[in-house]
Amino acid sequence: MPVAVRVIPCLDVHAGRVVKGVNFVDLRDAGDPVELGAVYDAEGADELTFLDISASSDGRETTLEVVRRTAETVFIPLTVGGGVGSVADVDVLLRAGADKVAINTGAIRRPEVIGEITRRFGNQVLVLSVDARRSPDQPSGFEVTTHGGRRAAGIDAVAWARRGVEEGVGEILLNSMDADGTTAGFDLEMIAAVRAAVDVPLIASGGAGRVEDFPPAVAAGADAVLAATVFHFGTLTVGQVKDAIADAGFPVRRA
Amino acid sequence: MSPGPSSPDVVVLDYGSGNLRSAERAVARTGASVLLTDDAEAALEAPGLVVPGVGAYAACMAGLRAVGGPDVIAARVAAGRPTLAICVGHQILFGSGIEHGVEADGVGVWPGVVERLHAERLPHMGWNTVEAPSGTRLFDGVADERFYFVHSYGVRELDEPEGRLVTWAEHAGDRFVAGVEEGPLWSTQFHPEKSGDAGARLVANWVATI
């Protein structure tokens, strides 16, 4: 049996609480991140991802504390992102208990930081988080956005994913900003386009609403599927998602 | 088991590699007392030693040498003291490692070269199954479980003489060593400290040998 398709609940953390909105606005409180992390672990989550969307340094410190507390109780891999732009940022997160770190705007601003981080901590430690949306302005039809999808970065999303791998990232987290929070399904064409461009593991994110949404994302080339809304508000359990993926003929881990 | 960090049951060797806290917590979860230290004497004398490892092979070996790790490992093997090595900690037990075209000497307890895996999709990242041999104590009760791997390099060939139990795993048709049990020295290519309940059981299996 090959490596299992990973199911990854994502916790957007703001000021120590899990929040979730639609297209990154209208944030709703979704609970305590440490408690939610433990629940997802018990449900069979294969990893957890924390994205710190705090704007202030106070918020960042609170998130570090959340990472520390979660890492004390949860024995599955923990990825943390949000505001990462330097080797020192990564060092702080790893020391707090993160296993992997996601980088987004920091890499757009200065792509060389990818190599600086991966030469120090290894390729496996760094996930390139790509917030992309459909755009006729880019060759692939997909463009990178920043500021929670509100601003175009002027970069082709597929070319950026390829560049990230060349610079050294060990994994791509591809988030469709058109689909994010809509629960209308993954952007399968975007997943397939990035899959064709890179060989590192690919995590598909954005738009999951029903169990039926997940197997097509895997068929399109995702090694892992990430979702927030459906898990936080009790629409789906990790187990139901795994059942759907397994029923479609893909391997999953049964906890 | 003795309480307190002054005389811990298990030392986790701190040689500048990442992932130390999770290894420490995984041991503590079994009820054993654990100390994270770079002190060679403490690492040599502890009832159990964990050698973690994350990152590049040559960098890990340099870090290990800086704290006298190779001698500690050799002395513990000679004295029959339980030692568990994880991920790059497992890889450095072999003869050498080749990364980015550069070959670096390992500790050399076991023969073999750590090489880049052939799979198109690397790193090999995620939960995979293993083929554990009969008689395994490391995988007792968890031989059918999945464990969390994250690596791009591995050992493809290792003899299995009397007294050495080798567990294998496969990624995209490439078969590599997932775990070794030989005397007091046990190792895993995957991360038991990140492998949920199955990993906890495996760590407990090892702690039970102390």
Side-chain angles (χ1 to χ4, degrees):
Chain A
M1 283 285 274
V3 64
V5 175
R6 285 169 284 152
V7 177
I8 308 174
C10 177
L11 301 94
D12 294 330
V13 180
H14 177 69
R17 298 290 291 179
V18 177
V19 294
K20 190 60 200 174
V22 174
N23 299 114
F24 274 54
V25 295
D26 298 330
L27 299 177
R28 285 192 284 168
D29 189 286
D32 176 64
V34 182
E35 283 176 23
L36 271 175
V39 168
Y40 294 143
D41 178 22
E43 281 184 5
D46 297 309
E47 287 183 33
L48 291 176
T49 293
F50 282 179
L51 293 182
D52 179 358
I53 61 170
S54 305
S56 69
S57 57
D58 279 0
R60 298 238 180 276
E61 189 48 47
T62 306
T63 299
L64 273 181
E65 189 52 35
V66 165
V67 172
R68 285 188 199 102
R69 286 167 53 215
T70 304
E72 291 293 332
T73 52
V74 171
F75 294 88
I76 56 176
L78 188 56
T79 301
V80 184
V84 173
S86 68
V87 169
D89 292 339
V90 174
D91 193 38
V92 165
L93 289 169
L94 296 180
R95 286 176 189 279
D99 298 289
K100 296 189 274 187
V101 169
I103 191 167
N104 188 334
T105 313
I108 295 170
R109 204 177 292 133
R110 210 169 62 80
E112 315 84 75
V113 76
I114 293 172
E116 293 167 12
I117 292 166
T118 56
R119 277 192 295 278
R120 169 87 180 272
F121 300 108
N123 306 76
Q124 81 294 331
V125 90
L126 197 61
V127 183
L128 181 65
S129 180
V130 180
D131 291 341
R133 69 183 177 196
R134 287 171 176 254
S135 166
D137 299 337
Q138 296 295 340
S140 72
F142 304 100
E143 70 179 353
V144 177
T145 67
T146 60
H147 299 80
R150 293 190 299 277
R151 208 175 291 178
I155 305 171
D156 184 287
V158 174
W160 175 234
R162 193 183 289 122
R163 170 86 191 273
V165 173
E166 286 166 5
E167 295 284 342
V169 299
E171 199 171 20
I172 302 280
L173 165 54
L174 180 65
N175 190 31
S176 164
M177 302 313 293
D178 298 314
D180 183 70
T182 64
T183 66
F186 290 93
D187 189 331
L188 302 178
E189 289 176 19
M190 187 190 285
I191 295 168
V194 173
R195 170 76 290 155
V198 300
D199 289 332
V200 298
L202 175 63
I203 306 166
S205 163
R210 308 165 303 158
V211 288
E212 304 91 279
D213 293 333
F214 290 90
V218 179
D223 300 282
V225 288
L226 177 145
T229 312
V230 292
F231 296 136
H232 300 337
F233 297 111
T235 315
L236 299 176
T237 65
V238 171
Q240 287 171 324
V241 171
K242 287 194 170 183
D243 286 345
I245 292 170
D247 287 348
F250 302 106
V252 297
R253 174 182 75 113
R254 299 298 187 179
Chain B
M1 290 178 185
S2 56
S6 55
S7 57
D9 303 314
V10 175
V11 159
V12 174
L13 187 60
D14 180 355
Y15 61 100
S17 170
N19 201 37
L20 300 167
R21 289 281 293 136
S22 54
E24 184 186 7
R25 284 189 300 270
V27 173
R29 196 183 177 191
T30 67
S33 63
V34 54
L35 175 68
L36 179 64
T37 180
D38 62 358
D39 182 67
E41 190 65 23
L44 179 62
E45 297 299 331
L49 177 69
V50 173
V51 182
V54 169
Y57 193 94
C60 278
M61 272 306 294
L64 193 68
R65 284 198 190 96
V67 300
D71 289 341
V72 167
I73 292 168
R76 290 186 63 92
V77 170
R81 292 190 191 136
T83 302
L84 176 67
I86 296 169
C87 199
V88 182
H90 151 88
Q91 294 180 353
I92 51 93
L93 296 175
F94 291 85
S96 65
I98 301 173
E99 281 191 15
H100 308 296
V102 178
E103 184 159 3
D105 284 343
V107 176
V109 178
W110 296 314
V113 183
V114 181
E115 297 174 284
R116 191 166 172 86
L117 299 176
H118 293 317
E120 185 182 312
R121 190 81 46 89
L122 290 177
H124 171 224
M125 186 183 288
W127 300 76
N128 211 339
T129 52
V130 297
E131 308 159 35
S134 62
T136 175
R137 288 196 286 159
L138 186 57
F139 290 88
D140 182 31
V142 288
D144 296 328
E145 299 287 342
R146 287 177 180 270
F147 296 91
Y148 187 78
F149 290 82
V150 50
H151 62 119
S152 295
Y153 297 82
V155 175
R156 291 202 182 77
E157 288 179 24
L158 182 62
D159 289 342
E160 300 174 56
E162 184 79 28
R164 179 187 296 161
L165 294 177
V166 181
T167 294
W168 299 87
E170 189 195 305
H171 175 50
D174 210 357
R175 195 162 174 265
F176 56 87
V177 175
V180 184
E181 295 157 68
E182 186 169 44
L185 187 60
W186 295 8
S187 71
T188 64
Q189 173 63 73
F190 55 85
H191 287 278
E193 77 281 16
K194 287 289 158 185
S195 295
D197 291 343
R201 169 70 187 268
L202 185 140
V203 173
N205 287 345
W206 175 72
V207 169
T209 68
I210 295 170

